[in-house]
Amino acid sequence: MIVTTKKLFEHAYGKYAIGAYNINNLEQTMGLFRGNLMSKAPFIIQISKGARAYTHKRALEGLIRAADEIFPEAIFAVHLDHGDEQTCYDCIESGFYSSVMIDASHEKFAENIAITRRVADAAHARGIVTEAELGQLGGVEEHVKVSEADAKLTDPDQAHEFVEKSGCDSLACAIGTSHGAFKFSGNQALRFDVLAQIQDRLPGFPLVMHGSSSVPQEEVERINNAGGSLKGARGVDANQFKRAAELGVTKINIDTDGRLVWTRVHREYFKDHPENFDLRPPGKVFMEEYAKFIAGKNEKLGSAGQLDSLLGRSVPGCGRRRSTTSCRSASPSGRRGGRARCTARSTRPRPAATSSSSTRRTRAAPRSSAPASPHTGSASPTPAPTRPSPSPRRAPASRA
């Protein structure tokens, strides 16, 4: 079931963080769904610009739609990771994504606000949520390249103003993490003092940690033993995730670790089976190993076991027990393959004209050119999360 992140963050705030995992192919998709269901965790699928360009943007959409059919009990958001303004608009118009991240953190403060505001207004008009970034993480991940000299922590004094003026729904904060497999040197560490100050200025507002792969040393060692050459790779201590969650972090981004698992499995397999040229045997091993990795990571995040709680909460005005997550069709704007689902355990609110049968699958209507909320059965976006309010901000008409 595809949902927005708003209700997920409301459920998680102060208690646990939701894993946001990047995918690029079939094997990662299957392993990701299996691992999250093994650990009974909600999750966020992240699609980067690089992943959209790897094959074709619709190829990943097709994989996720299929996985949603195969694993009907999964609860997840589909999120654009580190999008520029045009890519955000493309994802919003697609009717498939439930969340987008606009990364204008490299711009001056006022321009970052202006760009984020434009994207947030466009997203909210369709019931989609927006993540923004303030401050800059160092490191390299696909098109995001920031030297340590140019990296800067989020200024807590700017955070309140940024959220008020930009209209974003969650804020990615730079608190000492970095992108890639080489995160810390010397005495660098996570700046929980900065995070606490940000939370103090934005009470109840969802915060995000990017660049949070743990870079497990066992994975690095096994890769190197199988012919790799990763020297000095180091990541975030996963035992610190709980503390971050207590300070308002509701979403933690993990990409590099998944690539390490893929690399380790394939290097070891072909080292042990040099005569083999079939891609499927190592692919099967990877799906199993990645699922185990995801389940273990969710334990550290605290999201393991939260799925039943999400599914067990009742929807106002509904006689049955349903999820209170903001539900949306897999293709709310009518893109091919769209459908709505309603089952005893995993449900989507239906349009009024849809049969009430709990098992019937329906096809979305042809896409309209007018903006519409992607939430099936809802004429308007879900309310914005709690915002700091010493000075009221005028909401755009599109968010009414």
Side-chain angles (χ1 to χ4, degrees):
M1 177 167 65
I2 300 175
V3 301
T4 72
T5 55
K6 282 186 178 178
K7 289 295 182 181
L8 296 182
F9 290 167
E10 288 175 6
H11 188 264
Y13 191 89
K15 298 177 292 184
Y16 66 94
I18 298 170
Y21 301 102
N22 290 67
I23 64 165
N24 300 272
N25 61 21
L26 167 66
E27 290 79 11
Q28 282 184 311
T29 303
M30 295 298 288
L32 178 62
F33 275 79
R34 290 172 181 171
N36 282 295
L37 286 179
M38 282 168 55
S39 54
K40 294 187 176 181
F43 60 103
I44 299 168
I45 298 177
Q46 297 206 134
I47 302 176
S48 67
K49 284 180 64 179
R52 282 162 56 87
Y54 174 56
T55 51
H56 190 281
K57 58 189 179 184
R58 286 194 175 181
L60 280 177
E61 292 181 18
L63 288 174
I64 295 168
R65 293 184 202 279
D68 192 21
E69 293 277 0
I70 296 166
F71 305 101
E73 292 190 353
I75 294 181
F76 60 98
V78 179
H79 176 76
L80 169 67
D81 188 26
H82 284 288
D84 56 30
E85 190 169 4
Q86 192 54 51
T87 305
C88 284
Y89 293 146
D90 186 62
C91 292
I92 291 166
E93 290 295 323
S94 76
F96 178 68
Y97 291 74
S98 59
S99 174
V100 295
M101 181 206 177
I102 172 62
D103 185 359
S105 60
H106 54 284
E107 302 285 356
K108 293 184 182 299
F109 182 68
E111 184 62 14
N112 189 357
I113 289 175
I115 294 171
T116 302
R117 177 86 254 180
R118 292 195 295 267
V119 171
D121 286 348
H124 294 156
R126 288 183 175 269
I128 298 168
V129 296
T130 305
E131 176 187 321
E133 183 170 340
L134 183 61
Q136 277 193 287
L137 278 69
V140 177
E141 184 177 30
E142 296 187 352
H143 66 285
V144 180
K145 297 181 175 118
V146 179
S147 69
E148 291 301 326
D150 292 331
K152 53 183 178 290
L153 299 179
T154 300
D155 183 347
D157 291 330
Q158 289 184 330
H160 178 278
E161 180 184 358
F162 182 87
V163 167
E164 279 291 297
K165 291 182 177 179
S166 71
C168 66
D169 301 293
S170 61
L171 183 65
C173 304
I175 59 168
T177 61
S178 61
H179 294 296
F182 304 89
K183 299 187 183 299
F184 300 107
S185 61
N187 294 320
Q188 287 178 303
L190 295 182
R191 292 291 302 274
F192 286 111
D193 58 327
V194 174
L195 184 59
Q197 291 176 55
I198 296 169
Q199 185 193 37
D200 184 60
R201 288 158 176 78
L202 293 169
F205 192 79
L207 305 177
V208 178
M209 271 175 57
H210 282 220
S212 299
S213 283
S214 301
V215 189
Q217 291 306 295
E218 180 185 357
E219 296 288 345
V220 173
E221 183 177 352
R222 291 177 67 174
I223 288 170
N224 289 340
N225 289 339
S229 182
L230 295 175
K231 308 298 183 185
R234 183 182 170 196
V236 176
D237 182 357
N239 293 316
Q240 295 182 319
F241 291 162
K242 182 178 180 180
R243 185 178 177 190
E246 292 170 350
L247 292 172
V249 172
T250 55
K251 172 176 176 277
I252 291 183
N253 289 15
I254 298 165
D255 182 10
T256 296
D257 284 352
R259 302 183 188 202
L260 292 175
V261 175
W262 187 94
T263 302
R264 182 259 297 173
V265 167
H266 286 77
R267 280 193 174 275
E268 288 185 342
Y269 182 86
F270 285 111
K271 179 184 177 183
D272 295 340
H273 303 277
E275 77 289 351
N276 201 338
F277 55 87
D278 188 345
L279 58 87
R280 290 170 296 185
K284 290 180 179 179
V285 175
F286 171 76
M287 286 186 282
E288 181 178 353
E289 290 294 299
Y290 191 49
K292 292 177 183 177
F293 161 78
I294 293 295
K297 191 67 70 175
N298 289 339
E299 293 288 344
K300 296 291 186 181
L301 292 165
S303 61
Q306 297 293 337
L307 198 57
D308 289 340
S309 178
L310 277 167
L311 288 168
R313 303 169 80 185
S314 61
V315 174
C318 177
R320 341 176 8 184
R321 301 289 291 177
R322 290 191 177 188
S323 167
T324 56
T325 52
S326 301
C327 306
R328 65 192 291 272
S329 161
S331 184
S333 298
R335 288 283 293 272
R336 60 185 177 182
R339 60 182 174 77
R341 177 191 298 117
C342 182
T343 66
R345 286 183 55 80
S346 176
T347 61
R348 272 194 196 93
R350 294 178 179 273
T354 303
S355 167
S356 61
S357 167
S358 65
T359 57
R360 179 175 296 177
R361 304 286 171 83
T362 64
R363 294 288 176 183
R367 181 175 176 179
S368 167
S369 59
S373 169
H375 299 280
T376 309
S378 174
S380 62
T382 52
T386 303
R387 296 184 185 284
S389 55
S391 58
R393 176 173 58 80
R394 186 177 61 198
S398 60
R399 297 188 67 186

